[in-house]
Amino acid sequence: MAIHPREKRIILKYADEPGYTPDIDCYMRHGGYVMLKKAVGMDKQMICDEVKNSQLRGRGGAGFPAGVKWSFVDRKSGKPVYMVCNCDESEPGTFKDRQIVHKDPHQLIEGIMISCFATDCAKAFIYIREEMPKGAKILEQAIKEAKEKNFVGDDILGSGYSCDIVVHRGAAAYICGEETGLIESLEGKRANPRIKPPYFPAALGLYMCPTIVNNVETLCNVKHILEMGAEEYAKIGRPNNTGTRIWCVSGGVKRPGYYEVAGITLGELVYDICGGPKEGRTIKAIIPGGSSMKILKNGERFKGKDRDGNEYDWGIEDIPLDYDGIAAAGSMSGSGGMMVLDDSVEIPVALANLMAFYSHESCGQCTPCREGSLWLKKITTRMVHGEARPEDVDLLRSVADQIEGRTICAFGFAVAWPVQSYLDKFEDEFREFAQRHNHLGGDRTAAKELACNH
Amino acid sequence: MEDKDNLITVNIDGHDLQVPAGTNMVEAAAMLRKEIPHYCYHPKLSIAGNCRMCLVELGMPGRDRATGEPMLNEDGSPKIMWMPGPAIACGTKAAPGMHIKTDSPKALESREAITEFLLINHPLDCPICDQAGECTLQEFSSKHGRGYSRFIEEKNVKPKRTRLGPRVTLDDERCVLCSRCIRFCDEIANDSVLGFTDRGSYSTLTCFPGKELANNYSLNTVDICPVGALTSTDFRFKMRVWFLTEINSIDFETSVGTNTVVSAREGKIYRVTPRRNDEVNDTWMTDSGRELYKIVEAEDRLTACSVAGEETAATEAIVKASETLRGGKTAIVGSGQCSVEEQFALKALAKSLDAVSVDLVARYGEDDGLLMSVDRNPNVRGALMTGLIDTLPEERLEDLGSKIDSGEVRTVLSVKEDLTEAGLSEEQLSKVDIVFLGTHRNATSEKADVVLAGLTQFEKSGTVINQQFRIQKFNRVVPGPRGCIEDLYALSTIAANFSDEKFPSTVGSIWKQLAGENSQFSELSFQSLSDQGQVLDGSAFEHLPFREGKSLHFEPKREAVAAE
């Protein structure tokens, strides 16, 4: 049930309907598992082709085409292929997968089973973040129910295809959401992301077997692609940005929440659906796709040429709310966690907050991210504690530049991008802040405590 | 070497280079004598790629997306598509046409950045750090660092002086988290006791609860630690490394013949470390082998020759020994701890004495599958190849015992071996005259009529032949105690006393004779023998039931490789 009339709900169609429960009977009353029954009678390659043709892109962050990802799987190794559902939703500002898992778990299970069948996976794993204990219980129960009905397990619906789903609770770390970190964690190790090459999951994934890692929302979409047909599905949204997306809006808006939409602009989401800024406030900036994405400044003009050579000149509210639209504006749609910063927010303070998060979540494996993220935290914390120096602004930029692109995983970008983009867009504010908070020789207790984590 | 067909052409800084398939770019650059700095990469361990010091620019020949045809520059050369970000050289395996830049501004900037990051929380306590002088962080900071600090924050605080095990001490603040030690324990020592706790910049190397780093290979973690985080508890604070003279040697512990480097200063040995030999010990060594240098200054060391318990000059002792041996009915007990040269001289002596018997004493222990073999004598094969013995030795000298009982043997020359320990009774020993040539006091030296105080392997040069029939040389590191005499000199002089011919008494001169008499050793000389040793033809001894097991045949855990 849509919360706002501008929404187009497919994934969350029933989720918020009164009386809709996460049990299998309710799901089947609403047409559940029909597509799985259909799928097991279909040609596997045909399902894969449908997903490819639908232009479904990953909903986890990078937006990689799901069908293409499936086609990369190494079939020649003779090893079993594994499916891993990434439910380690930990990007700050993102809370969409939680809705699916809590309110409509069978949709996810059906999506996983169809995907597993299509890609001939030997086993599926749902890696659910540790902070969702209730979600894990709901999924366990749902899998139990689905097994009783023979939707999961041996010889599914008499098709001769067998596949089990294992729910694995995560290790309570942001980095467990990085696909190779997740795989390491699933294997029972520290979630240190693997080096690529050689450890691309499609070839050397879980237990060194070919592995597909997909986000919860992505896998749910597979069911609907099969239901609508790739052609029909591809009509939702813009080409290359097909299907709906669930956006999680938080921060300085009147009606924060999650909204499933397609084909609208950022302005329509923030102003129309979310009601715009709170009373007496104006929107200062928007982080579009989770805290690691580059910030968009209100009042800025976003100009350029799109793929077809058409020129565009957008205000922040005109940016098309999809992968390519936000990418054209210089950021990324990421995991769909949109954070709205209003004029009550001091950007350097927001950055200090973010750096505290990232330095805490760096796995510590590779040098630039490990050392750089904590350094950035120490600088920003010192700045907000009133010991800012004018040169700190340039130092922040330089440290971020030294991290970017030199790390094992994308975490390096996640640390560097906020710093770089905040400084790009709000350099004056940083310089003014550094001047205003310049009381060197003050109390160093905070700095000392920072050095002792124990 | 690799098949010519398996060679791949890569281009490093504009130089084309042919390398075997699978070669990583750190090794490839090394072939061009270009050092790509690195911390976590180790040639004998899996690739971790975590230090990011070896970042280089990487490019591949471009291919047209539509046609798949190679893209060409105007001059017809392949167009190289450079990757936007740098790539780690250690994790980049040679591919046809691959180009890397190791000294471009981007690569150098990366090194500066990584160096700065590694130093910000490093204690910079080089003046009191044992690693100083052989510290990779120190070297690379001087070579690739900016020379100034932009860090004004408080440095992280981590545990110091942690006892990881009986022989290894850890300073976590110095650790660069390269994970070499962890990988060594997992992949080589098969004793996974190390890991990281905490996250991010607070990551801390530690031992798993209730465990300690106590395996017989634990000190290798100290060797491979690129910084001063892991230090040898024995060597800690003993000597600044730049004062040490390093001499190549061989581990005398077992028949593996681990290649070593012995470090000494002013006649005193401070440590023994492994020396790389890919055919023998890779870069590893046992902890127990590192302790062996302590025999040099042991309390029970024989520091002077003696006759009937009275200290004498070495020359007098040799005269007396010759007299004693002249009595006839002499048996010789040689040793697998002697060098090839000594065994050769002993054989000559046995011949001119017309010795009743020549024995060796076998020492056997457990095979650990790595560098400790069953045979705990370093040079039994030397005794075989010089012809001193022709069968494998026994652990107990029972034959000799019965010969003494029957009166067939009246005099025994024992080189390095304790006859009591080898199974002879006090009564049997009291029936014979004993000449003992050895380094340490034992029951035999106490009973001996003549004691010749010899030298340990650290005080003389020579060769030994390991279980692969690889002849390897060890060199004199320190001079012996004043009253001692070089074993080879003693044996040669005695041998000369019994024959008309002059017998060579130095390693160099004995090799001339050795090479002349024995076809196995022809074309060899001590001088020309390389530090990696040389494998001799041991097929003549194939029929002997050697007891070496899996040692030297260890296979480290390998990385998974994607199917082609």
Side-chain angles (χ1 to χ4, degrees):
Chain A
M1 191 191 77
I3 289 173
H4 193 275
R6 297 289 302 266
E7 276 190 87
K8 179 173 177 58
R9 287 203 169 194
I10 295 176
I11 307 289
L12 296 176
K13 189 172 180 188
Y14 302 115
D16 292 307
E17 211 164 80
Y20 189 81
T21 50
D23 58 275
I24 196 163
D25 295 330
C26 179
Y27 182 64
M28 289 182 76
R29 275 202 304 280
H30 289 77
Y33 288 111
V34 171
M35 279 305 116
L36 178 62
K37 287 175 192 161
K38 186 185 162 197
V40 294
M42 283 172 73
D43 178 47
K44 293 183 180 207
Q45 190 52 46
M46 232 173 88
I47 306 176
C48 294
D49 289 343
E50 283 286 285
V51 173
K52 209 169 194 170
N53 294 338
S54 74
Q55 300 176 27
L56 170 68
R57 289 173 70 171
R59 304 294 199 240
F64 195 80
V68 179
K69 196 184 228 179
W70 290 8
S71 69
F72 285 160
V73 169
D74 176 11
R75 298 274 168 201
K76 283 177 278 181
S77 66
K79 294 180 192 169
V81 179
Y82 293 118
M83 169 70 70
V84 175
C85 170
N86 187 345
C87 186
D88 193 75
E89 183 175 54
S90 39
E91 180 75 15
T94 315
F95 40 87
K96 62 187 178 66
D97 297 342
R98 179 184 289 259
Q99 311 307 326
I100 299 169
V101 168
H102 277 224
K103 294 170 183 169
D104 205 358
H106 282 284
Q107 184 184 191
L108 173 61
I109 290 166
E110 188 176 2
I112 290 174
M113 290 317 297
I114 296 170
S115 306
C116 284
F117 175 77
T119 53
D120 213 11
C121 287
K123 202 163 194 170
F125 298 84
I126 303 176
Y127 188 97
I128 184 166
R129 83 178 279 201
E130 151 39 72
E131 290 88 340
M132 291 190 202
K134 199 177 154 200
K137 279 207 181 106
I138 293 169
L139 282 173
E140 296 273 16
Q141 173 65 23
I143 290 167
K144 198 175 143 221
E145 292 167 355
K147 273 188 180 166
E148 282 164 9
K149 297 249 194 284
N150 197 216
F151 296 136
V152 176
D154 294 334
D155 191 17
I156 293 162
L157 300 168
S159 65
Y161 172 72
S162 303
C163 182
D164 203 357
I165 303 182
V166 176
V167 177
H168 183 96
R169 285 188 62 193
Y174 176 80
I175 201 64
C176 294
E178 199 278 345
E179 60 178 0
T180 55
L182 186 154
I183 287 169
E184 284 279 297
S185 175
L186 199 51
E187 288 182 3
K189 305 180 207 153
R190 251 176 96 94
N192 285 354
R194 294 173 176 172
I195 49 172
K196 288 153 276 184
Y199 302 111
F200 293 108
L204 298 170
L206 185 62
Y207 307 119
M208 291 299 143
C209 296
T211 304
I212 300 168
V213 185
N214 278 142
N215 173 259
V216 171
E217 192 187 342
T218 316
L219 287 168
C220 289
N221 269 298
V222 172
K223 175 201 155 170
H224 300 285
I225 290 166
L226 218 57
E227 198 170 329
M228 291 181 209
E231 209 172 305
E232 206 53 36
Y233 181 90
K235 285 180 187 161
I236 308 170
R238 298 195 298 164
N240 202 33
N241 298 273
T242 58
T244 60
R245 280 206 75 173
I246 306 171
W247 291 88
C248 314
V249 188
S250 58
V253 288
K254 286 209 184 84
R255 287 189 295 274
Y258 51 94
Y259 301 97
E260 187 175 348
V261 295
I264 64 168
T265 62
L266 200 151
E268 283 172 293
L269 175 66
V270 172
Y271 288 98
D272 299 350
I273 298 178
C274 298
K278 288 177 184 164
E279 219 52 62
R281 293 282 168 204
T282 52
I283 291 175
K284 187 172 186 178
I286 292 173
I287 305 166
S291 61
S292 56
M293 295 307 153
K294 290 184 176 173
I295 202 165
L296 304 171
K297 187 181 182 181
N298 194 11
E300 196 183 351
R301 299 305 296 178
F302 302 94
K303 294 177 195 172
K305 267 187 194 174
D306 68 13
R307 235 177 248 188
D308 304 325
N310 304 319
E311 281 191 26
Y312 58 84
D313 179 9
W314 298 324
I316 195 166
E317 61 285 345
D318 307 321
I319 299 170
L321 195 60
D322 53 31
Y323 298 96
D324 292 345
I326 294 176
S331 185
M332 272 171 79
S333 59
S335 56
M338 184 176 293
M339 285 181 273
V340 180
L341 311 182
D342 66 22
D343 56 351
S344 69
V345 176
E346 279 190 293
I347 299 294
V349 180
L351 185 66
N353 187 327
L354 218 50
M355 289 305 112
F357 174 78
Y358 282 110
S359 64
H360 184 250
E361 294 299 339
S362 165
C363 79
Q365 187 186 192
C366 69
T367 310
C369 165
R370 174 181 75 229
E371 301 299 337
S373 61
L374 187 67
W375 192 3
L376 289 170
K377 180 198 176 185
K378 284 176 175 175
I379 298 169
T380 50
T381 310
R382 177 168 51 74
M383 287 176 82
V384 301
H385 276 80
E387 292 186 53
R389 305 172 302 164
E391 61 264 42
D392 285 336
V393 182
D394 302 311
L395 183 58
L396 281 173
R397 147 81 62 186
S398 167
V399 173
D401 289 348
Q402 288 193 157
I403 301 172
E404 190 193 11
R406 299 204 167 106
T407 54
I408 289 177
C409 73
F411 194 103
F413 293 106
V415 185
W417 281 345
V419 180
Q420 292 168 331
S421 69
Y422 290 18
L423 284 167
D424 279 344
K425 308 281 172 77
F426 298 96
E427 187 173 340
D428 293 345
E429 184 173 343
F430 272 91
R431 296 213 179 274
E432 187 272 329
F433 187 92
Q435 284 295 337
R436 189 152 43 86
H437 285 73
N438 185 357
H439 314 295
L440 277 175
D443 182 15
R444 309 250 334 140
T445 322
K448 277 180 182 153
E449 275 172 7
L450 211 63
C452 307
N453 193 36
H454 307 280
Chain B
M1 273 312 278
E2 295 282 330
D3 230 359
K4 196 88 175 137
D5 297 341
N6 283 336
L7 291 178
I8 287 175
T9 305
V10 295
N11 185 293
I12 299 173
D13 297 331
H15 302 279
D16 275 338
L17 173 71
Q18 290 213 312
V19 296
T23 309
N24 69 57
M25 286 299 120
V26 172
E27 298 293 346
M31 292 176 195
L32 286 176
R33 296 180 172 272
K34 278 176 186 285
E35 185 190 36
I36 298 181
H38 56 265
Y39 298 100
C40 69
Y41 170 71
H42 188 280
K44 299 294 172 190
L45 298 173
S46 64
I47 305 283
N50 60 33
C51 74
R52 317 305 285 179
M53 189 65 183
C54 67
L55 288 170
V56 292
E57 278 194 82
L58 174 66
M60 291 296 292
R63 280 187 177 277
D64 192 285
R65 277 205 183 178
T67 61
E69 291 294 308
M71 291 156 77
L72 299 176
N73 290 322
E74 277 174 16
D75 61 356
S77 59
K79 185 174 179 158
I80 302 304
M81 307 300 282
W82 293 96
M83 280 171 46
I88 46 172
C90 70
T92 303
K93 300 236 158 80
M98 178 180 275
H99 278 57
I100 63 167
K101 286 183 198 164
T102 70
D103 50 9
S104 67
K106 262 191 188 173
L108 298 180
E109 199 186 307
S110 289
R111 283 176 207 169
E112 277 186 10
I114 303 300
T115 304
E116 177 173 47
F117 282 139
L118 286 174
L119 290 176
I120 57 173
N121 280 303
H122 189 84
L124 300 175
D125 56 349
C126 306
I128 54 143
C129 177
D130 265 310
Q131 193 81 359
E134 52 180 8
C135 174
T136 324
L137 184 61
Q138 210 178 39
E139 279 162 31
F140 291 163
S141 299
S142 125
K143 205 168 170 188
H144 306 291
R146 294 204 182 95
Y148 58 86
S149 174
R150 303 188 290 172
F151 187 80
I152 63 156
E153 325 300 333
E154 299 277 339
K155 284 179 190 276
N156 288 346
V157 179
K158 286 185 188 175
K160 296 183 86 76
R161 295 175 290 278
T162 311
R163 180 188 181 275
L164 274 191
R167 292 174 291 279
V168 182
T169 305
L170 166 68
D171 184 322
D172 263 306
E173 287 183 351
R174 294 177 188 156
C175 177
V176 293
L177 302 153
C178 71
S179 81
R180 275 184 178 183
C181 52
I182 299 177
R183 281 176 283 146
F184 172 81
C185 288
D186 290 348
E187 295 163 17
I188 307 293
N190 290 316
D191 182 33
S192 303
V193 294
L194 297 181
F196 292 129
T197 56
D198 263 320
R199 287 206 294 244
S201 190
Y202 303 111
S203 294
T204 306
L205 176 69
T206 188
C207 231
F208 296 150
K211 303 267 176 145
E212 59 172 16
L213 180 61
N215 66 62
N216 194 26
Y217 292 87
S218 68
L219 282 167
N220 289 292
T221 61
V222 174
D223 298 334
I224 58 178
C225 182
V227 294
L230 294 169
T231 47
S232 157
T233 311
D234 179 43
F235 179 67
R236 222 165 123 84
F237 303 136
K238 293 271 164 59
M239 182 52 63
R240 308 299 341 203
V241 295
W242 50 84
F243 291 131
L244 294 172
T245 308
E246 298 189 327
I247 307 284
N248 289 348
S249 186
I250 298 294
D251 181 25
F252 265 46
E253 229 182 347
T254 75
S255 60
V256 162
T258 296
N259 291 207
T260 62
V261 170
V262 183
S263 305
R265 184 191 183 193
E266 291 177 5
K268 188 174 161 63
I269 297 174
Y270 287 89
R271 67 173 179 186
V272 182
T273 45
R275 172 162 54 91
R276 182 170 174 177
N277 187 336
D278 290 350
E279 304 301 320
V280 184
N281 53 308
D282 282 356
T283 53
W284 318 123
M285 156 167 210
T286 57
D287 288 4
S288 42
R290 298 169 199 250
E291 301 269 326
L292 287 186
Y293 77 90
K294 293 182 178 170
I295 60 171
V296 172
E297 293 188 1
E299 286 216 341
D300 56 352
R301 180 73 198 269
L302 288 169
T303 52
C305 301
S306 62
V307 173
E310 291 292 316
E311 274 194 21
T312 53
T315 41
E316 265 177 56
I318 287 176
V319 171
K320 187 68 189 164
S322 304
E323 269 173 34
T324 311
L325 295 174
R326 207 178 287 277
K329 291 187 175 179
T330 304
I332 289 179
V333 178
S335 176
Q337 314 249 354
C338 288
S339 68
V340 170
E341 297 78 11
E342 289 158 10
Q343 287 166 342
F344 181 70
L346 199 56
K347 185 202 162 198
L349 180 59
K351 195 178 160 200
S352 44
L353 280 177
D354 196 15
V356 180
S357 64
V358 178
D359 288 295
L360 242 60
V361 180
R363 287 184 182 76
Y364 293 121
E366 291 253 321
D367 185 303
D368 72 352
L370 290 167
L371 297 175
M372 290 287 273
S373 65
V374 173
D375 187 353
R376 298 296 163 88
N377 274 326
N379 197 26
V380 170
R381 281 168 179 77
L384 288 167
M385 296 198 74
T386 50
L388 180 63
I389 53 170
D390 49 19
T391 55
L392 287 185
E394 300 288 331
E395 282 176 284
R396 299 183 77 76
L397 298 169
E398 275 159 16
D399 266 2
L400 179 60
S402 45
K403 280 181 184 137
I404 292 172
D405 290 338
S406 68
E408 205 179 325
V409 168
R410 301 294 301 275
T411 316
V412 178
L413 166 63
S414 170
V415 182
K416 286 183 178 286
E417 298 294 354
D418 182 0
L419 301 173
T420 318
E421 213 167 72
L424 297 188
S425 67
E426 294 226 353
E427 194 203 334
Q428 284 166 334
L429 290 187
S430 62
K431 286 184 187 165
V432 288
D433 293 334
I434 302 172
V435 176
F436 178 72
L437 168 60
T439 52
H440 290 78
R441 267 196 300 282
N442 55 32
T444 308
S445 73
E446 297 295 308
K447 286 216 154 47
D449 299 274
V450 181
V451 173
L452 298 164
L455 298 178
T456 66
Q457 68 262 35
F458 301 102
E459 295 153 340
K460 60 191 181 190
S461 300
T463 54
V464 285
I465 299 176
N466 83 346
Q467 68 179 68
Q468 307 158 312
F469 285 95
R470 177 183 297 274
I471 185 164
Q472 308 190 97
K473 68 176 169 187
F474 59 95
N475 298 290
R476 189 169 107 136
V477 183
V478 291
R482 192 187 292 173
C484 291
I485 182 159
E486 189 171 354
D487 307 37
L488 183 60
Y489 180 81
L491 293 173
S492 302
T493 312
I494 297 171
N497 286 344
F498 285 97
S499 74
D500 307 330
E501 292 165 49
K502 198 166 156 45
F503 196 78
S505 61
T506 63
V507 173
S509 56
I510 212 164
W511 262 97
K512 282 188 192 129
Q513 191 147 346
L514 195 53
E517 273 184 35
N518 191 322
S519 64
Q520 286 290 348
F521 300 114
S522 61
E523 292 174 31
L524 271 179
S525 75
F526 184 76
Q527 284 283 315
S528 65
L529 187 62
S530 93
D531 280 333
Q532 303 284 297
Q534 185 170 332
V535 178
L536 304 175
D537 179 11
S539 54
F541 307 98
E542 255 170 13
H543 62 282
L544 293 177
F546 291 115
R547 284 170 58 178
E548 275 95 353
K550 280 171 68 185
S551 59
L552 268 192
H553 298 289
F554 64 96
E555 277 290 312
K557 281 183 196 159
R558 297 254 176 233
E559 294 146 51
V561 179
E564 289 294 317

